[in-house]
């Protein structure tokens, strides 16, 4: 029996690469706060879309999961914007 990590290994690699790319771009954009905020918006959108695509491919997408990914992306985005104040 395969574990969750083995079943969705490629999806985790994709989100890991997205997060690493965002981190590098976010740090490189300093001290341009407007660019950092634009990158935060892109990260929020990318995470939300990644969640939808991943769960659609495994046929377990529900309305609850959509709101969960939306909420987590908004919460993380708000916290990151607070860092740029």
């Amino acid at each position: 029996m395969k574990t969750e990590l083995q079943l969705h290994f490629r999806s985790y690699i994709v989100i890991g690469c997205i997060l690493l790319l965002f981190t590098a771009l976010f740090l490189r954009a300093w001290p341009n706060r407007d660019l950092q905020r634009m990158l935060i918006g892109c990260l929020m959108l990318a995470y939300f879309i990644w969640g939808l695509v991943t769960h659609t491919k495994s046929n377990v997408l529900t309305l609850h999961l959509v709101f969960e990914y939306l909420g987590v992306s908004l919460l993380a985005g708000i916290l990151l914007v607070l860092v740029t104040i």
Side-chain angles (χ1 to χ4, degrees):
M1 184 177 234
K2 290 187 175 184
T3 64
E4 283 293 313
L5 182 60
Q6 291 172 328
L7 289 173
H8 304 291
F9 186 72
R10 279 185 255 152
S11 295
Y12 293 132
I13 293 293
V14 168
I15 194 63
C17 289
I18 289 170
L19 292 173
L20 285 173
L21 179 64
F22 166 77
T23 302
L25 291 173
F26 186 81
L27 293 174
R28 180 116 171 117
W30 185 84
N32 187 345
R33 297 195 189 285
D34 292 332
L35 180 56
Q36 285 180 324
R37 290 180 183 138
M38 187 177 70
L39 288 169
I40 291 167
C42 292
L43 175 66
M44 291 168 56
L45 184 63
Y47 178 75
F48 181 69
I49 290 172
W50 172 84
L52 295 181
V53 169
T54 299
H55 288 288
T56 300
K57 286 176 66 176
S58 50
N59 295 321
V60 292
L61 184 66
T62 63
L63 189 58
H64 180 268
L65 282 173
V66 171
F67 286 128
E68 181 179 335
Y69 276 97
L70 181 63
V72 170
S73 65
L74 287 172
L75 178 63
I78 289 169
L79 291 174
L80 284 169
V81 166
L82 289 174
V83 170
T84 65
I85 290 178

